[in-house]
């Protein structure tokens, strides 16, 4: 290989890291990645639906963000241990704009964030993260957790109201608490309890059943149930909701229609009428 071709190949590997590890990828790697991807996918799908609701967007947008970022990062990513996908903080920050302009504003926000990150990468400004202190990050994360909890509590109690900001959300919650849907509240609290319980026992072993300890199949099944707890709970709750509807009991608040397929690939709409107040 000539010097020019070698230099070109090294440059491409720098900006397209998949060229570094793909030539040495084996079937054993594929097996491990398939198990990991399947496990994470069972968690990401219901999480994406929930975060789309948190971001004031239709549920299908949560599914789009759940896999599109992973596909792109597998080609251009440099850190194999980085989590790619929607987060509660991202959803909260998007909700401020999505509540005004819907998916159009959310697409614009994503586009400009991507442009800004590309610019930071070109200028090698990642070192700026070293100047953000730990107390600032801890405070930001804690505040995001509190805001996320207060935003989602109305869904657990089956309440419907519009509110922006922490204090306004808390005020409207207590103002409308008399309209609580007992069926939604029962399912919501039960779901939270089951998720926490399965999470706690994910890495535990049943010490009271010695025969279970000797069965690798049952241990693997227990681990799979605990790991896929989010998806499993969504399936169970969906089944219960379907049974209620088939029996004529329309008592639960449902996600309703989710558009199938993928949206058309196109640039965000920069028309001025979208920015009118």
């Amino acid at each position: 290989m000539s010097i020019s071709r070698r230099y070109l190949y090294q440059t491409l590997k720098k900006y397209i890291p998949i060229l570094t590890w793909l030539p040495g990828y084996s079937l054993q790697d594929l097996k491990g990645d398939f198990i990991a991807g399947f496990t994470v996918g069972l968690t990401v799908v219901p999480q994406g639906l929930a975060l789309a609701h948190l971001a004031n967007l239709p549920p299908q947008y949560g599914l789009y963000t759940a896999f599109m970022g992973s596909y792109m990062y597998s080609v251009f990513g440099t850190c194999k241990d980085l989590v790619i996908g929607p987060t509660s903080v991202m959803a909260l920050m998007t909700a401020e704009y999505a509540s005004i302009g819907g998916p159009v504003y959310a697409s614009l926000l994503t586009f400009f964030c991507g442009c800004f990150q590309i610019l930071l990468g070109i200028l090698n400004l990642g070192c700026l993260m070293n100047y953000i202190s730990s107390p600032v990050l801890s405070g930001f994360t804690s505040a995001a957790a509190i805001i996320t909890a207060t935003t989602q509590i109305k869904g657990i109690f089956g309440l419907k109201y519009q509110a922006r900001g922490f204090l306004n959300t808390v005020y409207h919650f207590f103002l409308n608490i008399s309209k609580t849907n007992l069926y939604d509240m029962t399912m919501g609290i039960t779901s939270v309890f089951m998720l926490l319980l399965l999470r706690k026992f994910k890495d535990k072993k049943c010490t009271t059943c010695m025969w279970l300890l000797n069965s690798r199949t049952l241990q693997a099944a227990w681990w799979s149930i605990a790991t896929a707890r989010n998806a499993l709970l969504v399936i169970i709750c969906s089944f219960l909701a379907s049974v209620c509807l088939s029996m004529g009991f329309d008592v639960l608040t449902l996600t309703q229609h989710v558009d199938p397929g993928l949206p058309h690939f196109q640039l965000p709409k920069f028309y001025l009428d979208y920015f009118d107040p």
Side-chain angles (χ1 to χ4, degrees):
M1 182 182 294
S2 63
I3 297 178
S4 59
R5 290 186 177 180
R6 185 180 305 171
Y7 176 78
L8 176 61
Y9 183 66
Q10 293 298 329
T11 303
L12 287 176
K13 288 200 301 183
K14 179 180 178 181
Y15 293 101
I16 309 179
I18 192 175
L19 298 176
T20 303
W21 56 265
L22 187 60
Y25 199 75
S26 63
L27 291 177
Q28 188 66 24
D29 296 329
L30 178 62
K31 177 182 177 181
D33 287 344
F34 176 80
I35 296 175
F38 181 76
T39 303
V40 174
L42 292 177
T43 303
V44 167
V45 170
Q47 177 180 292
L49 295 174
L51 291 178
H53 176 72
L54 181 61
N56 292 326
L57 291 171
Q60 63 268 19
Y61 284 87
L63 300 179
Y64 300 155
T65 58
F67 69 87
M68 186 56 66
S70 301
Y71 284 152
M72 298 300 295
Y73 196 81
S74 64
V75 178
F76 299 102
T78 57
C79 179
K80 65 181 181 63
D81 301 316
L82 187 64
V83 178
I84 299 297
T87 62
S88 57
V89 175
M90 187 188 306
L92 285 174
M93 299 180 70
T94 304
E96 293 294 324
Y97 301 94
S99 60
I100 302 174
V104 174
Y105 273 31
S107 299
L108 281 173
L109 178 64
T110 304
F111 177 79
F112 286 124
C113 285
C115 293
F116 185 67
Q117 289 183 341
I118 291 175
L119 180 62
L120 291 177
I122 294 175
L123 299 178
N124 291 323
L125 294 179
C127 60
L128 293 177
M129 290 297 298
N130 297 328
Y131 298 97
I132 302 178
S133 62
S134 297
V136 173
L137 293 177
S138 299
F140 180 78
T141 305
S142 300
I146 295 174
I147 294 175
T148 301
T150 55
T151 304
Q152 294 298 295
I153 195 171
K154 69 175 183 180
I156 295 180
F157 285 82
L159 301 176
K160 297 180 180 179
Y161 56 82
Q162 296 294 328
R164 298 183 64 182
F166 173 75
L167 295 178
N168 195 22
T169 301
V170 173
Y171 169 75
H172 279 84
F173 170 72
F174 286 104
L175 186 65
N176 295 273
I177 197 171
S178 59
K179 303 177 183 178
T180 298
N181 186 328
L182 295 179
Y183 297 96
D184 284 343
M185 184 183 70
T186 302
M187 180 169 286
I189 294 177
T190 303
S191 299
V192 172
F193 175 77
M194 291 302 299
L195 286 175
L196 293 177
L197 184 65
L198 289 174
R199 180 182 179 182
K200 181 177 179 61
F201 287 99
K202 176 183 177 182
D203 299 322
K204 301 292 183 180
K205 294 184 178 180
C206 182
T207 57
T208 58
C209 302
M210 297 304 297
W211 59 273
L212 182 60
L213 292 175
N214 298 325
S215 176
R216 296 182 59 183
T217 302
L218 292 178
Q219 286 290 349
W222 171 254
W223 179 86
S224 300
I225 292 174
T227 302
R229 57 188 180 274
N230 291 0
L232 183 63
L233 193 62
V234 169
I235 294 174
I236 294 175
C237 292
S238 300
F239 174 76
L240 293 177
S242 177
V243 171
C244 290
L245 287 177
S246 63
M247 297 177 62
F249 297 104
D250 188 8
V251 294
L252 296 172
T253 304
L254 304 179
T255 306
Q256 302 301 333
H257 178 70
V258 178
D259 292 336
L262 294 173
H264 297 291
F265 288 91
Q266 58 185 357
L267 288 174
K269 298 178 180 179
F270 295 97
Y271 305 134
L272 293 178
D273 56 343
Y274 283 98
F275 297 92
D276 291 339

